[in-house]
Amino acid sequence: MSEPVIRKYTCDVLCIGGSGAAVSAAHMASAAGKSVILMSKGKAGRSGNAIMVGGGFGIDGYSSRHVLGELEADETYTPDRLMERIVKYSFYLSDQRLARQFVTDAAPMVKVFLQWAKAAGQTMLFSPKGGLYAVSGNCIGRTIAQGIKEIPGLTTFSDVMAVDLVKDGDRVAGVIGLDIYKGEYIHVEAGATILATGGYQPYTLKNTISETTGDGMGMALRAGAKVADMEFLLYIPTAMEPEFLRGSIIPYLFTIPIFMPLSFRVVDGSGGELPLRPPFDKVPGSNKAMKLIYSSFWSLGTDADVMRGGLYYDYSDHTDEEIIRAFDHFLAHYGHWHPKGKYNGYDMIALRDELLRTKRLQFALGNEYSNGGVVVDETMSSGVPGLYAAGETASGVFGAFRAGDGLAEMLAHGYRAGISAAEYVERAGMPGSTDLAARQVVNEVEAVLKRQGSCRSETLLREINRCADEGFGVIRNEAGLEKAALALDGIARKLDRVGIPDQDRRYNLDLCHYLEARNLLLCVTAGVMAARERRESRGTHVRSDYSAVDQAFLCRICLQLDGGRLVTSRIRPDLSELPPPGRNYSDIHAYLAEIMA
């Protein structure tokens, strides 16, 4: 095997990620006069979960009117009202300093984002009634790509997988990446590093990109940072059938009447109906709380494996003419961004004809978003000198349930992370040489590359997925979580026996899957450990054996590596602006009914 090629680059600020948080951070660091490198596992501007957006995004109405210039926006919907909503729907696990940062910093970065969209010729339709910009994933991707073009002097590495952070003493001072196609190592020595690599989606069924394996969280843990809130994962209706639709978020979009004005009943495979109880049957479908309401009601109401199918929308109450009109409405809306009769490449006419024939649509609850991630303060600092995190890689804003927009989150976080990282470099200067630390990371990867072990890395990824499906799903209990923990221990032992059959570094999927598997394994293990410790139900963490919302658990469960093993601790979220309720609730529905009243 040939000697590895290591190419070294230096910059003030390194942004790892190819989507909105990373590009926003790069924009702000560059505006502060710093040299910036952007490293992305996929194509920068054309990767990450932002390109999966199906509905829209927004901020508060006051800022929409007075910062973005949307004169029809409802200015009575103030930043304070948005913050109150975020905190209450977080079940008071939102760190209120971070919630304040979100409502303060989102508007100026959204304004820049809209300017990029205009320069890229993209349509973003503002709806005064909903206070949202209606968009599509391809629209978002082209806007982010335009942002990359507009950052002066930006150096971009696409298709370079970040392997591990390198340190100068206690300080994070850059990264080693692997160029997936060239098989070369990219060593970036940086004054400050921003992780914006997205979240972690651990299940077999995905409505996100398949590479969302918690890479930034894994690297941060190995560098000494903490993660928190890893037990909170968000689920939405995801297509199972027809086969050509599998994994699509179209069933979720069909729950929102402004997109698909066609009511439905939900039934399981045995025909049992799963209705929403009052007052939740009157909540508008566009309310983000419906994601939690749907997933909890439908999961608790049936014995079906809701993460693998067995749930159906039943349209038998509608005539063919009503179904055709509803599809016409859906296609007229999305015709702003997609070819006639299509949504994200899916043939909507074929789907319509299938519904006309069967009057049913099978779906499961697929993972959309992970609330957990690197613990940061309101400056996006991880507490490890030189290391910042932004977007879904970070935690703290949304607590137990995300009531704000993920797109606005990545823009607000990126905005602040870029400013903070530039200020840090100004104070701390550049690090010392990291060549030895970088070479150590390379040597560790090369040792894996030379293995002739008995396990394949892709197989381990699938085992992690199955483990999460079976014990760490929408509804949890101690027996399932204990089984998952034991299975994860077994997978960890197998990780050391992974073999890489092909020693060519170029497009070596076995090696890439190994690097992803070790990160995903850390994240899922952290999630299961936190879920076992949280003996209550709160937000998207629903336990059948502990149904109450118990204020004894008004804390964030943190995890950190100690001697190579994850250990837990607890921190109390900042509650300085909005005091929490002083009582327990019988279940999450009792809590939601009170705050929605």
Side-chain angles (χ1 to χ4, degrees):
M1 189 167 69
S2 62
E3 281 295 306
V5 174
I6 306 174
R7 301 195 184 279
K8 184 177 180 181
Y9 302 84
T10 302
C11 65
D12 295 320
V13 177
L14 166 65
C15 301
I16 305 177
S19 194
V23 176
S24 298
H27 167 80
M28 296 308 299
S30 176
K34 303 304 177 186
S35 60
V36 182
I37 289 177
L38 182 75
M39 178 183 288
S40 174
K41 183 163 72 169
K43 305 291 184 188
R46 289 183 286 157
S47 59
N49 280 330
I51 63 173
M52 307 297 289
V53 169
F57 72 97
I59 54 176
D60 66 277
Y62 184 90
S63 299
S64 293
R65 178 165 185 168
H66 294 281
V67 178
L68 307 184
E70 300 292 353
L71 299 182
E72 294 181 281
D74 177 11
E75 66 179 349
T76 65
Y77 185 38
T78 62
D80 285 346
R81 284 183 60 193
L82 173 58
M83 178 171 168
E84 181 181 6
R85 178 182 179 81
I86 289 169
V87 171
K88 286 184 175 181
Y89 280 93
S90 80
F91 287 65
Y92 284 86
L93 287 193
S94 170
D95 186 292
Q96 294 181 22
R97 292 165 300 186
L98 277 162
R100 179 58 65 185
Q101 181 275 326
F102 173 82
V103 301
T104 300
D105 288 348
M109 195 63 226
V110 168
K111 183 174 183 178
V112 173
F113 191 73
L114 293 173
Q115 292 167 352
W116 292 346
K118 183 176 181 181
Q122 298 304 299
T123 300
M124 295 189 179
L125 301 174
F126 184 72
S127 168
K129 184 177 180 181
L132 298 172
Y133 288 95
V135 296
S136 73
N138 54 14
C139 163
I140 295 297
R142 290 174 188 137
T143 299
I144 294 170
Q146 180 66 33
I148 291 173
K149 293 177 185 176
E150 295 195 11
I151 300 173
L154 178 68
T155 299
T156 302
F157 292 112
S158 288
D159 301 312
V160 175
M161 185 177 185
V163 174
D164 243 333
L165 300 168
V166 295
K167 298 179 76 172
D168 173 25
D170 292 334
R171 176 182 179 178
V172 168
V175 76
I176 282 289
L178 176 64
D179 188 310
I180 294 170
Y181 291 102
K182 294 180 181 178
E184 299 174 348
Y185 293 97
I186 305 296
H187 172 201
V188 178
E189 194 170 80
T193 300
I194 301 169
L195 296 170
T197 55
Y200 84 106
Q201 273 74 47
Y203 305 101
T204 300
L205 178 67
K206 296 176 174 63
N207 54 54
T208 56
I209 60 171
S210 60
E211 295 83 6
T212 310
T213 47
D215 298 341
M217 300 173 195
M219 288 189 291
L221 281 166
R222 290 190 292 274
K226 293 181 179 180
V227 298
D229 308 328
M230 300 294 278
E231 66 270 41
F232 300 113
L233 295 140
L234 184 59
Y235 312 94
I236 61 173
T238 304
M240 292 295 290
E241 290 181 354
E243 183 61 33
F244 71 83
L245 201 67
R246 185 181 177 90
S248 167
I249 66 169
I250 286 173
Y252 168 65
L253 298 179
F254 279 13
T255 68
I256 305 175
I258 59 173
F259 300 147
M260 171 55 80
L262 193 68
S263 62
F264 54 82
R265 293 182 296 115
V266 174
V267 297
D268 60 20
S270 63
E273 189 168 351
L274 305 173
L276 302 182
R277 295 196 308 267
F280 305 111
D281 55 340
K282 303 301 182 184
V283 178
S286 57
N287 188 321
K288 288 186 180 297
M290 290 307 292
K291 293 180 179 181
L292 175 54
I293 293 167
Y294 284 147
S295 63
S296 58
F297 267 102
W298 295 339
S299 300
L300 292 167
T302 180
D303 292 329
D305 187 346
V306 298
M307 301 195 74
R308 301 190 188 186
L311 296 177
Y312 301 83
Y313 294 160
D314 186 317
Y315 294 103
S316 58
D317 294 337
H318 293 286
T319 65
D320 289 358
E321 290 75 15
E322 288 172 331
I323 291 173
I324 290 169
R325 284 200 300 270
F327 268 81
D328 287 344
H329 177 93
F330 183 92
L331 290 171
H333 174 79
Y334 283 102
H336 292 287
W337 305 286
H338 302 289
K340 186 176 181 180
K342 302 284 186 180
Y343 170 82
N344 268 2
Y346 296 109
D347 188 338
M348 296 300 295
I349 303 303
L351 176 60
R352 181 200 66 187
D353 293 344
E354 179 74 9
L355 291 192
L356 289 171
R357 184 178 67 83
T358 66
K359 299 293 178 77
R360 286 165 69 120
L361 176 62
Q362 185 178 181
F363 70 96
L365 294 172
N367 185 200
E368 178 199 18
Y369 178 90
S370 52
N371 281 23
V374 180
V375 175
V376 295
D377 63 18
E378 64 272 26
T379 72
M380 301 298 117
S381 171
S382 70
V384 177
L387 182 63
Y388 298 80
E392 200 175 344
T393 309
S395 66
V397 178
F398 297 127
F401 176 70
R402 194 193 82 192
D405 283 309
L407 192 71
E409 175 200 27
M410 71 182 186
L411 296 176
H413 278 192
Y415 176 91
R416 182 54 53 187
I419 293 172
S420 299
E423 291 174 347
Y424 174 82
V425 176
E426 195 70 30
R427 295 191 308 270
M430 292 297 290
S433 174
T434 57
D435 290 351
L436 288 177
R439 185 70 204 203
Q440 182 177 347
V441 174
V442 170
N443 289 344
E444 290 170 357
V445 178
E446 290 291 297
V448 173
L449 191 60
K450 294 172 184 176
R451 283 186 193 163
Q452 297 298 316
S454 57
C455 299
R456 294 291 295 272
S457 52
E458 184 177 12
T459 302
L460 290 193
L461 276 172
R462 303 292 80 81
E463 288 186 20
I464 296 170
N465 294 155
R466 287 194 297 271
C467 175
D469 292 344
E470 294 170 4
F472 186 48
V474 181
I475 307 299
R476 302 159 182 172
N477 57 51
E478 184 60 28
L481 291 167
E482 182 179 11
K483 182 179 177 181
L486 290 171
L488 291 168
D489 284 344
I491 294 169
R493 290 191 294 271
K494 290 180 183 179
L495 193 64
D496 293 331
R497 303 200 305 270
V498 165
I500 310 296
D502 183 358
Q503 295 187 349
D504 192 333
R505 301 179 188 89
R506 295 171 299 177
Y507 202 65
N508 191 324
L509 286 179
D510 284 286
L511 180 60
C512 291
H513 288 324
Y514 168 82
L515 297 171
E516 291 176 328
R518 67 172 183 163
N519 291 325
L520 185 60
L521 180 60
L522 265 179
C523 291
V524 180
T525 301
V528 169
M529 289 176 67
R532 294 187 75 182
E533 184 164 329
R534 185 173 292 283
R535 293 182 175 89
E536 65 155 356
S537 294
R538 187 178 294 265
T540 58
H541 171 69
V542 181
R543 289 191 57 156
S544 59
D545 50 354
Y546 294 99
S547 61
V549 180
D550 185 348
Q551 301 307 344
F553 288 93
L554 185 60
C555 61
R556 300 177 64 199
I557 297 175
C558 300
L559 296 105
Q560 189 173 25
L561 284 173
D562 183 5
R565 296 188 64 84
L566 287 167
V567 295
T568 64
S569 60
R570 298 185 185 187
I571 58 174
R572 190 167 174 85
D574 178 79
L575 301 167
S576 55
E577 292 195 46
L578 297 169
R583 67 182 186 89
N584 298 338
Y585 297 83
S586 59
D587 54 34
I588 63 168
H589 297 142
Y591 175 87
L592 287 172
E594 179 173 294
I595 67 169
M596 297 176 78

